[in-house]
Amino acid sequence: MTIYGEYKPPVWNPVEMLRAELAWYPGRAALVGRIVLACTSVMLLAFIFRIPGAALGAGFPILISRESPKATKVSAFQIALSCSIATTAIILGGVLTSGSAFLHVLWVIAVLFAAFFTISCLNFINPALTASVLIAVAIQLWDLPIRTEVRVERTLYTLLAILIACVVTVLIETVFAKKQSPDAILEGINHRLGLIETLLSQAQAEEFPPPALTMQLSRSAAKSVDDLSELLAHSRYEPSYHDLLATVIALTRQLVELGSNLAESTRILSLDDQERCMAIARNLSSIRNCLLCKSLADWTDLPPATRNANPVLVEIERTMHLIAQSFSDEDLPIYQLLPAAIPTRSIGIFVVDALRQNEHYKFAIRGTLSALLCYVFYMSTGWTGLGASIITCTLTARRFTGASRHRQSLRFAGFILGAGVIGLGTEALILPGVDSLVQYAILFASVVALGSWIATSGPRIAYAGFQIVLAYNLVNLNRFTINTSLVPSRDAILGIILGVVAMWLVFDHLWAENSSSSVRALLLGTLRSLADFKTTPTETPLQANQRLAATSSNINRDFDKLRDLADMYAFESFPKKPYESLVNRSIRTLSPELRAFLFVKTGLLQHRNLAAAEPDVLVREVEEQASSVLRGLANAIEGETAEQLSAWDLHAVELRARVQIEEEKSRDEKDRQKHIEMRLCGSLLSLASYLEWRTRLNLELEAADQDVVGNWPIGTIVKTGVD
């Protein structure tokens, strides 16, 4: 007997997460190499021409560098502009308040308030953070017992170091930019299809899916195919081949999203599914080989499925066949019914009506009081080396408490590694024996390479990479000589601790906002949007697909937001409220299958539109049953009771049996369109059944406060395929 529908219990393994985040992916080594070259070049220029501010300038290329020269130029311009404005404000305020201790303190409060307000209302985080770091460093500088002219000069030199970093980074990215290949579109499609082929070909491996490949698919799904669509818009292909590529690009986007979901899913592949994965992988290899020749040479016709396959695998197979059809049947105008690429929405510099929203003022007050507490402490004790505490406040201030503490953890870990382990280690063991700038440059490049590799990871640990480089620079680039003193390392670490303590005492308690309420509302809204996701009779197939694509993209982005907010859950305050634990458990256990539900439902609606046929009564009943389950999920999570769930009753069992009968009938009659439609309907019901069961279990576990044990219970609903 073969049982389908078993699931792996969701387990979060920090070691596996780190291994996946630090794994190699295409383009990572080249990006890290360019960052290392930019940072080292800025450091050498600062040492050779004795430009103060090298500690910031030599680390900023990590924030500026992007995967494309165009994005790097935009990032460099934004950072240069924000730092220039901040420098102007610092000099004007500092000069006007110079000579008066009272006015100087008022100036410190004003610039701190401006920095935190900008962080809160600026849509681009890197420019806001770099400007806030410059302000924090300037506060330390303007407290030194030196002449005003010297303070102005050093402030301008710090800005010069940052501008040099922007210029050098852009130049290096431009020089090393890969010349656009005539076949760049085909190479991009081939690379993405290759990831799916690799995933499916390893379905029988002991470790499936490989963590590194899962990370690559996640990145490809996040980047989508916008770059390919932009290249195609400016290409000069003949009309027929242009339409073919437009079709393949749109379908490739779907395939990458499906592959990413399959890799992240907790569903265990059956032996039949594994064999089918291998067959699909062989067909994908044939598709990749025919991108240039426009013919499928080694295509393997998959036999009709005799059992219910993995729901995501069903949609992967359907999408792959659409790509094959676009190559083999030139008279099939799939591209006319596939939605065009959704234009990227322009984002304003500032949040709309930022000056009228009290949340930004509250955020700025919280941050200012935290930083001011650090300032009063180290100024009253005369321990000015703790100035890094203000930088900690500006760099780790986030809207939600969990996100702020996550940044604090990464900053502390980065500084311990950068200033404590590497900084102290090199000062004690390596720097005393270094007697040339070349040797020092090699050591510096090694540290930057480590930090850059971490900085090019995912959002869970990327921030620590920049902190490693920044900490090392603050310790070893604070003078134009090789530093062997341990005092800067000690003060940097203690400054971090002071900043974190101040944030805990003030920022996390005054008007603190947890992510729980926002994530709960977002989860409920996403569930209901997914339930109402359907076509309308008044739309043409093209209009329906365009609207479905836009709605699907929005729901998918909401899932990404939910995942990011759930990652912050561990950093929220304790004890947790019951509904917070329920929402977090629901996100972690339901997200993969909810994404699969979205993809399968989108595939079912798209398949119907491509076939230009009206859905029969059975398909409408399936859609309504699946939607009612999701509405029940939302009501149950909102009411925190299983009584709100839509029970999987006899009608649902009868509906599933009718779908199976129609599926077998269409297979025997070799009605491929009908067979695919019924398989998608079966997949939708299977996912709805699992989501209802998993939510019921989550509610029971929440009530009993016990761990998840076992997989899907074997019963009449979950035994979907039997020998």
Side-chain angles (χ1 to χ4, degrees):
M1 181 180 294
T2 304
I3 301 297
Y4 297 88
E6 296 187 21
Y7 287 76
K8 300 172 285 187
V11 177
W12 187 76
N13 189 330
V15 176
E16 288 297 323
M17 184 272 292
L18 285 175
R19 190 175 71 162
E21 292 281 1
L22 298 176
W24 174 90
Y25 60 80
R28 185 173 196 171
L31 178 59
V32 169
R34 296 194 300 270
I35 293 175
V36 171
L37 182 58
C39 291
T40 307
S41 300
V42 175
M43 183 273 296
L44 290 175
L45 289 173
F47 263 63
I48 293 172
F49 296 101
R50 308 184 74 82
I51 303 173
L56 292 182
F60 274 22
I62 295 180
L63 300 177
I64 301 171
S65 293
R66 295 291 185 270
E67 293 182 351
S68 69
K70 181 179 179 181
T72 301
K73 292 177 182 178
V74 173
S75 176
F77 174 77
Q78 292 173 348
I79 290 177
L81 180 61
S82 63
C83 289
S84 299
I85 295 174
T87 301
T88 303
I90 290 168
I91 294 177
L92 289 176
V95 171
L96 292 175
T97 60
S98 179
S100 172
F102 176 74
L103 292 178
H104 179 76
V105 172
L106 291 181
W107 170 75
V108 170
I109 296 174
V111 294
L112 286 175
F113 183 88
F116 285 103
F117 188 84
T118 303
I119 292 173
S120 178
C121 66
L122 197 66
N123 280 323
F124 302 101
I125 188 63
N126 278 349
L129 290 180
T130 51
S132 65
V133 170
L134 181 60
I135 289 173
V137 172
I139 290 175
Q140 289 181 266
L141 174 61
W142 283 76
D143 282 327
L144 296 178
I146 55 179
R147 292 182 295 110
T148 302
E149 293 82 356
V150 178
R151 294 171 182 169
V152 173
E153 181 182 340
R154 291 190 180 180
T155 303
L156 291 174
Y157 270 126
T158 302
L159 175 63
L160 177 61
I162 295 173
L163 296 179
I164 290 175
C166 294
V167 173
V168 168
T169 305
V170 170
L171 288 176
I172 289 177
E173 291 287 346
T174 303
V175 170
F176 286 91
K178 184 178 179 182
K179 187 177 180 181
Q180 198 66 59
S181 170
D183 297 327
I185 298 176
L186 299 180
E187 292 174 359
I189 296 173
N190 183 69
H191 169 67
R192 289 164 172 81
L193 295 181
L195 290 177
I196 308 300
E197 179 189 344
T198 303
L199 173 70
L200 298 177
S201 63
Q202 297 184 16
Q204 296 178 339
E206 183 177 351
E207 184 185 29
F208 179 84
L213 185 58
T214 301
M215 185 64 63
Q216 291 184 48
L217 284 168
S218 178
R219 290 176 182 276
S220 295
K223 292 192 301 183
S224 189
V225 292
D226 294 339
D227 56 335
L228 300 183
S229 299
E230 184 177 355
L231 288 174
L232 183 62
H234 297 88
S235 65
R236 297 182 179 179
Y237 293 112
E238 59 183 19
S240 60
Y241 194 56
H242 181 280
D243 294 338
L244 171 65
L245 290 180
T247 302
V248 176
I249 288 174
L251 294 172
T252 299
R253 176 183 61 81
Q254 295 180 196
L255 206 56
V256 171
E257 292 176 346
L258 290 166
S260 177
N261 183 263
L262 180 66
E264 296 177 357
S265 175
T266 58
R267 187 184 292 261
I268 299 175
L269 292 178
S270 66
L271 293 178
D272 290 336
D273 283 346
Q274 292 176 12
E275 294 177 359
R276 206 164 188 87
C277 283
M278 302 298 291
I280 296 174
R282 290 192 293 270
N283 283 345
L284 282 175
S285 177
S286 178
I287 290 176
R288 294 173 62 200
N289 291 333
C290 79
L291 280 175
L292 294 177
C293 63
K294 304 181 185 179
S295 63
L296 293 172
D298 302 317
W299 183 260
T300 301
D301 288 325
L302 300 179
T306 57
R307 294 175 177 81
N308 292 316
N310 184 299
V312 179
L313 194 60
V314 173
E315 181 60 11
I316 287 178
E317 183 179 337
R318 187 191 74 89
T319 305
M320 180 199 63
H321 275 287
L322 287 178
I323 297 177
Q325 281 182 299
S326 66
F327 280 109
S328 58
D329 191 350
E330 296 181 357
D331 296 329
L332 185 65
I334 298 177
Y335 69 91
Q336 294 181 3
L337 296 178
L338 287 176
I342 302 173
T344 304
R345 294 179 297 177
S346 59
I347 301 177
I349 298 177
F350 288 95
V351 175
V352 179
D353 293 333
L355 297 177
R356 299 180 182 178
Q357 298 180 17
N358 293 332
E359 290 76 11
H360 299 302
Y361 293 98
K362 292 179 179 179
F363 182 92
I365 293 173
R366 294 162 60 197
T368 301
L369 291 177
S370 302
L372 194 61
L373 179 62
C374 299
Y375 179 78
V376 171
F377 176 82
Y378 74 71
M379 286 299 293
S380 61
T381 59
W383 199 345
T384 56
L386 300 182
S389 57
I390 296 183
I391 302 178
T392 299
C393 295
T394 57
L395 286 179
T396 62
R398 309 296 293 157
R399 176 187 173 190
F400 295 122
T401 302
S404 180
R405 290 179 178 173
H406 176 245
R407 287 235 169 184
Q408 291 164 11
S409 302
L410 293 179
R411 176 162 169 80
F412 184 75
F415 256 74
I416 288 294
L417 183 57
V421 177
I422 301 177
L424 289 174
T426 55
E427 289 172 355
L429 303 176
I430 300 177
L431 290 179
V434 173
D435 56 4
S436 70
L437 187 56
V438 174
Q439 293 175 335
Y440 182 80
I442 295 175
L443 174 63
F444 177 82
S446 302
V447 177
V448 174
L450 172 63
S452 301
W453 192 269
I454 299 175
T456 52
S457 302
R460 286 178 173 173
I461 66 170
Y463 192 66
F466 172 65
Q467 297 303 320
I468 291 173
V469 177
L470 180 61
Y472 183 82
N473 291 350
L474 290 176
V475 169
N476 288 292
L477 294 182
N478 55 3
R479 62 185 69 180
F480 298 114
T481 183
I482 293 176
N483 184 24
T484 57
S485 173
L486 303 182
V487 174
S489 298
R490 179 203 65 188
D491 289 351
I493 295 174
L494 293 178
I496 297 297
I497 296 175
L498 175 60
V500 171
V501 170
M503 293 291 284
W504 285 352
L505 292 177
V506 180
F507 193 84
D508 292 349
H509 290 86
L510 181 63
W511 296 314
E513 184 179 359
N514 292 336
S515 62
S516 54
S517 57
S518 298
V519 72
R520 183 171 182 263
L522 181 60
L523 174 61
L524 297 178
T526 303
L527 286 173
R528 286 164 179 151
S529 297
L530 187 53
D532 298 334
F533 181 50
K534 60 183 178 181
T535 58
T536 59
T538 59
E539 294 178 318
T540 65
L542 178 58
Q543 291 174 337
N545 273 331
Q546 289 177 336
R547 187 182 59 80
L548 291 176
T551 306
S552 175
S553 179
N554 291 333
I555 296 176
N556 213 13
R557 281 196 293 267
D558 288 339
F559 282 131
D560 291 335
K561 295 177 184 177
L562 286 171
R563 181 182 57 190
D564 293 339
L565 290 173
D567 286 340
M568 302 298 105
Y569 176 79
F571 298 92
E572 299 284 5
S573 303
F574 288 92
K576 308 288 187 182
K577 296 179 181 179
Y579 78 87
E580 294 176 354
S581 179
L582 173 62
V583 169
N584 182 71
R585 190 195 300 271
S586 299
I587 293 173
R588 294 198 179 279
T589 57
L590 301 181
S591 288
E593 309 312 316
L594 283 173
R595 282 186 189 267
F597 187 98
L598 171 64
F599 295 143
V600 172
K601 189 172 184 179
T602 303
L604 178 61
L605 297 175
Q606 186 188 76
H607 177 77
R608 191 167 66 208
N609 289 334
L610 290 174
E614 288 292 329
D616 56 24
V617 177
L618 180 58
V619 175
R620 291 193 180 278
E621 289 184 20
V622 169
E623 291 180 1
E624 184 55 37
Q625 175 65 32
S627 297
S628 66
V629 170
L630 288 191
R631 295 188 189 98
L633 260 62
N635 295 335
I637 295 174
E638 185 176 26
E640 302 175 38
T641 173
E643 296 177 358
Q644 299 290 333
L645 287 174
S646 299
W648 195 262
D649 52 18
L650 292 177
H651 171 71
V653 177
E654 178 187 357
L655 186 62
R656 184 71 183 91
R658 289 167 57 194
V659 169
Q660 286 182 327
I661 293 173
E662 290 296 325
E663 183 180 338
E664 293 174 0
K665 180 180 177 181
S666 60
R667 184 185 66 240
D668 295 339
E669 295 177 354
K670 297 182 179 181
D671 186 348
R672 181 172 183 79
Q673 297 296 327
K674 184 71 172 180
H675 183 66
I676 292 176
E677 188 174 51
M678 289 298 104
R679 290 185 71 196
L680 291 172
C681 287
S683 297
L684 205 61
L685 291 176
S686 175
L687 288 167
S689 173
Y690 168 77
L691 290 168
E692 189 274 337
W693 170 83
R694 180 71 246 192
T695 302
R696 191 180 299 277
L697 179 59
N698 286 343
L699 291 165
E700 293 175 357
L701 290 172
E702 200 61 40
D705 193 24
Q706 62 184 15
D707 296 330
V708 179
V709 180
N711 287 322
W712 183 298
I714 304 303
T716 57
I717 299 177
V718 299
K719 293 169 68 174
T720 58
V722 187
D723 269 346

